[in-house]
Amino acid sequence: MSVTETLNEGLKRGYKIVVPAADLDAKVNEKLLEAQPEIEMKGFRKGKVPMALLKKNFGQRLMGEAMQDAIDGAMNNHFETSGDRPAMQPDVKMTNENWKEGDDVEVEMTYEALPEIPEVDLSDIALEKLVVKAADAEIDEALASLAENAQNFEDRKKGSKAKEGDQVTLDFLGKVDGEAFDGGAAEDFPLVLGSGQFIPGFEDQLVGVKEGEEKDVVVTFPENYGAENLAGKEATFTCTIKAVKEPKPAEINDDLAQKYGAEDLAALKAQVAERLEAEYAGAARAVMKRGLLDALDGKVSFDLPPSLVDAEANQIAHQLWHEENPDVQGHDHPEIEVSDEAKKLAERRVRLGLLLAEVGRKAEVQVTDAEFTQAVMQQARQYPGQERAFFDFVQQNSQMRQQIQAPLFEDKVVDHIAAQAKVTEKEVSKDDLQKAVDALDEA
């Protein structure tokens, strides 16, 4: 087998691989010998079928496998000996299209090699870490929100009209064409007006009702309603209003704290402060990460694989186009032109991505199985009831695994670099942190 260089320009590489017919024949014979003990054929005992007969019956089928194995072996050997790492999957094609059994196989392999990444001194990187403490006003606001979510309902004054947000207790009986239907009746049903619990139009017609009032509510079931016998049909619900209650936020006290699993109000305040400061720390980390990337971007310069830059630029251009055209969900749209701005951003992302990957490789940064599984389960929670199916899908889809693992790896590399940098903490207000976060989108 021979490998001859045909192209070496910048990061572009090209090689001609020739697999001699004799090598292919030897691989086919090797595969037949492997399989021979298990093959049965009429007229022969198991494992005793002559090689010549096996080759006649199975040789043609195994030739394709032998070709693939030989080419894969040549490629792997080339990358091992040359030290090249392809930026993307190499383009491999057979050049002797009129090949027939007994001919050598000639293959052309082209790819873009990943560049040599220069060493970077991380010790002189200076970073600022913003720190925000939860203010009393912010804690009180969060407690008020918790109290509102834990609201109770109290009877309104006799004769008061129900408002949106009120809870009405009612009996109702629904009929279609004068006939009652399954699921169309209930007694002492508590319904919060405006909650969207019932079909469109039902709750709107109860705004203004009073305790003791009887009212017919006329609505039309949606065309796509789950029960086919009701879909698209008009129904009349006879409603008897038994109570009208207004919402009352829970009092902010120890009882409220215990509803949320805290021992007392002081413990709940501490939990709220901790949660708020964790949110602020997450935002502050994003700001510090941008500062770190900016610092790294100014430290390195090397050739970039054009294929990676083009792919990233196209992705950026598509994302920007869809943000400007949110009504278009698929890819049925005119060709999107890649702007100079998108190309420049793509170059920065590719450069930093390659640098972080190299730093992580040299530092032997790895995403553990536990970290990966935790990230998968967090994403799985977005699909209630289908968590197991999502987990199985990820396990079977290498591209999806890479999409989940890549940001985990990048974050660990960022932490590795930050640990060697000079980090100065600066306490700021929540508003100042928000301004810094907003500036990330504008940059």
Side-chain angles (χ1 to χ4, degrees), residues 139 146 155 222 227-228 276 299-300 368 370 375-376 407:
I139 295 173
L146 292 176
D155 287 329
E228 290 184 13
L276 288 173
K299 276 180 163 287
V300 291
T368 66
V376 173

Side-chain angles (χ1 to χ4, degrees), residues 179-378:
E179 296 291 331
F181 54 89
D182 289 343
E187 293 183 355
D188 295 324
F189 189 92
L191 175 64
V192 177
L193 303 185
S195 64
Q197 191 173 353
F198 280 18
I199 62 174
F202 190 103
E203 295 167 23
D204 294 342
Q205 296 179 51
L206 292 180
V207 173
V209 297
K210 301 176 184 177
E211 180 185 341
E213 183 179 342
E214 189 172 286
K215 181 179 179 69
D216 283 345
V217 172
V218 181
V219 290
T220 301
F221 284 96
E223 294 290 345
N224 60 350
Y225 193 67
E228 290 184 13
N229 62 314
L230 299 176
K233 293 190 176 179
E234 184 179 89
T236 299
F237 289 84
T238 300
C239 303
T240 301
I241 311 304
K242 303 177 85 171
V244 175
K245 300 183 178 185
E246 63 180 329
K248 291 286 186 182
E251 289 187 32
I252 300 175
N253 54 23
D254 290 344
D255 289 339
L256 175 68
Q258 288 162 11
K259 283 185 180 180
Y260 284 100
E263 185 176 341
D264 52 28
L265 183 56
L268 180 60
K269 283 184 176 182
Q271 289 177 13
V272 168
E274 185 178 350
R275 177 178 59 79
L276 288 173
E277 288 176 5
E279 290 177 7
Y280 301 151
R285 187 184 191 284
V287 173
M288 188 177 77
K289 180 179 176 180
R290 172 63 68 85
L292 185 150
L293 294 177
D294 288 345
L296 288 176
D297 194 30
K299 276 180 163 287
V300 291
S301 178
F302 49 84
D303 291 337
L304 303 176
S307 59
L308 290 184
V309 174
D310 289 344
E312 185 68 27
N314 277 312
Q315 184 176 336
I316 292 169
H318 270 77
Q319 182 180 345
L320 292 173
W321 190 90
H322 280 288
E323 286 175 3
E324 294 169 1
N325 300 271
D327 295 336
V328 181
Q329 300 297 324
H331 297 286
D332 186 17
H333 53 65
E335 184 176 348
I336 298 172
E337 186 177 346
V338 177
S339 66
D340 290 341
E341 184 182 358
K343 186 78 176 284
K344 187 177 179 182
L345 179 56
E347 289 173 350
R348 170 186 160 99
R349 287 185 181 177
V350 170
R351 182 166 51 252
L352 289 171
L354 291 176
L355 175 60
L356 290 175
E358 183 67 6
V359 171
R361 186 179 70 84
K362 288 181 176 177
E364 297 182 346
V365 172
Q366 291 186 343
V367 175
T368 66
D369 290 342
E371 290 166 340
F372 179 77
T373 301
Q374 183 180 7
V376 173
M377 296 313 295
Q378 283 178 345

Side-chain angles (χ1 to χ4, degrees), residues 423-438:
V423 180
T424 305
E425 290 192 354
K426 179 182 178 182
E427 190 166 329
V428 298
S429 68
K430 175 186 172 183
D431 289 342
D432 288 338
L433 174 61
Q434 187 60 55
K435 287 176 185 175
V437 171
D438 292 342

